[in-house]
Every structure is written in structure tokens, then in C-alpha cells.
Amino acid sequence: DAGVIQSPRHEVTEMGQEVTLRCKPISGHNSLFWYRQTMMRGLELLIYFNNNVPIDDSGMPEDRFSAKMPNASFSTLKIQPSEPRDSAVYFCASSLFRGQLNTGELFFGEGSRLTVL
Amino acid sequence: AQKITQTQPGMFVQEKEAVTLDCTYDTSDPSYGLFWYKQPSSGEMIFLIYQGSYDQQNATEGRYSLNFQKARKSANLVISASQLGDSAMYFCAMRGGSGAGSYQLTFGKGTKLSVIP
């Protein structure tokens, strides 16, 4: 079975450039999450979607960050313009949300390692 | 607000010995779930074990068990018969019980486990 697929795996770019990270969740999952991981701050939730609708984007650090989920099988996280402090590993994860007693674990992609010079 | 605390930045264990990784949590939700993930040096996030707040018994998955003490708000991970491949970062995470907060996982800072041959 295919897991969560992220691309690119590695991205090196220069400050000021636009960066687009892509994610394909597991088929049938109805929730999608974008996390950022750094040494200093650990794993931070940026935004999550349920049934393609953004539920909470309070973790998005600045207006430079935006995320979309045009359909159930695709999501993007865009940074424009990028800055060196955006360097991190960005994880996409998906889950099947079953309601109040939600026991579904998050399945993570392999992450996209972003370096902004 | 939910909070996960992992007080051990790093741990060492002799191969074949058991090790306990600590996790305490704070939440006002009566219903919640607790998760443990493993992140090896290759970077992927691997789900290990889940414990629901209403589960009567401690969760077990192979060599992994979760020592759930609800009154103390602790959910320690016990790894029995440690193997060299267990060397990794281990993250404790929590999901709240209701509403929008029940979607996301809040992660602790992690514990780096090193297994010594």
C-alpha cells in the first residue's frame, strides 16, 4: 500500500525564492496535516485539513506561508518569499478521522528537507 | 491547551535490557489519546503504540508497552529487550477529545535513545 508521498525530498533554494512542497495523502484518509520540524522548536503543527477544508491554520508562522488542498488526494504548502529561518524538515501526515473517540494515528510522509540560503 | 512533556533529552540502554521513556501530559479534555512515534536517523516518523484515555488496560505492541497512569497524567513507553535498531528519537504525542482539537497531535520534544552493544 502506498503511504503518504511528499515531494521534493530535498530542496535547496535562495532567500526570496518561492518554495512549493507537495503531498499526496493515503487514499481514503480524510484529514491532512502539515508539520515543521526543527532542532530548536521540535515538531510544530502548521495547518490541518479535514475533508479538504482547513480547520486550523493558527500554526502558520506568517503570511508568507500558505497551504491548499484542492482535492482529497493532493495538498501543497507554499512559502513565498522564503527566508533562511524557514529551513526545516516539513512533514505531511494523513489520518482517518472517525469522530469523537478518534483513535486513528497519523501516517507521516518521509518529509521534505528545505534549506534556504 | 494540551501539553506534552518529555523530560529526558537522551537515554542510554544496554542491548537486551528494558528501558522506560517518560512522558507526562496536561489536558482538560476527559477523552484523549496518547501516541508514541519513533524517528530513526533516516528521518521518517513511525507510529509505535496508542493508548486511549478510557482504555482499561495498558496498550502493548510487541516489545513496546505503554505504562498509562491516568491520575498522574503519565504515559511512559517501555521497550523490552532493546535492540541496536531501537536507537532513535522517540516522541510522545496527544490528541484531544472533542471538536477541532481532536484532529491534531501535539508532540513532545522527544527523547534520543541510544542502545549500547
Side-chain angles (χ1 to χ4, degrees):
Chain A
D1 291 340
V4 176
I5 299 172
Q6 290 187 248
S7 64
R9 291 293 312 279
H10 302 274
E11 173 95 3
V12 179
T13 189
E14 292 187 344
M15 183 174 63
Q17 295 298 306
E18 178 179 294
V19 173
T20 299
L21 307 179
R22 298 172 177 79
C23 175
K24 178 179 169 54
I26 293 173
S27 177
H29 281 186
N30 57 7
S31 297
L32 183 139
F33 306 78
W34 283 101
Y35 281 86
R36 178 172 69 176
Q37 186 178 34
T38 60
M39 288 292 292
M40 290 296 294
R41 300 173 70 92
L43 276 158
E44 302 173 280
L45 177 68
L46 300 178
I47 185 171
Y48 64 93
F49 297 83
N50 185 255
N51 293 324
N52 313 338
V53 176
I55 302 300
D56 186 352
D57 65 354
S58 60
M60 297 285 262
E62 300 172 29
D63 291 345
R64 298 184 295 107
F65 285 70
S66 62
K68 295 182 180 180
M69 191 165 187
N71 56 62
S73 59
F74 184 66
S75 177
T76 60
L77 178 67
K78 186 176 292 187
I79 309 172
Q80 166 63 20
S82 59
E83 296 182 3
R85 60 191 166 127
D86 301 332
S87 297
V89 179
Y90 291 82
F91 284 101
C92 176
S94 70
S95 179
L96 179 60
F97 179 69
R98 299 186 181 91
Q100 186 173 2
L101 293 179
N102 182 25
T103 61
E105 69 268 30
L106 268 62
F107 293 83
F108 283 79
E110 294 184 310
S112 295
R113 182 175 294 275
L114 173 65
T115 302
V116 183
L117 302 175
Chain B
Q2 299 166 1
K3 186 178 180 181
I4 292 283
T5 302
Q6 295 180 254
T7 58
Q8 306 152 314
M11 290 277 290
F12 290 89
V13 64
Q14 201 77 36
E15 193 178 7
K16 300 181 183 177
E17 297 294 312
V19 63
T20 297
L21 306 183
D22 293 342
C23 172
T24 58
Y25 60 91
D26 189 21
T27 181
S28 56
D29 289 320
S31 173
Y32 50 89
L34 297 155
F35 301 76
W36 277 92
Y37 281 82
K38 171 185 179 181
Q39 186 177 40
S41 58
S42 51
E44 70 268 33
M45 295 286 287
I46 303 167
F47 167 72
L48 296 178
I49 195 167
Y50 167 82
Q51 179 84 44
S53 58
Y54 292 122
D55 293 344
Q56 295 297 313
Q57 294 186 330
N58 287 342
T60 61
E61 287 288 345
R63 294 186 299 111
Y64 304 109
S65 60
L66 203 152
N67 183 2
F68 181 47
Q69 298 188 40
K70 195 170 182 178
R72 294 184 176 184
K73 293 190 174 180
S74 73
N76 299 340
L77 177 70
V78 180
I79 305 175
S80 62
S82 297
Q83 302 172 355
L84 295 178
D86 294 335
S87 294
M89 282 290 288
Y90 288 81
F91 293 95
C92 181
M94 179 171 66
R95 165 178 282 151
S98 61
S102 65
Y103 292 88
Q104 62 170 298
L105 289 189
T106 300
F107 285 85
K109 295 294 186 185
T111 295
K112 184 173 183 179
L113 177 66
S114 299
V115 180
I116 304 167

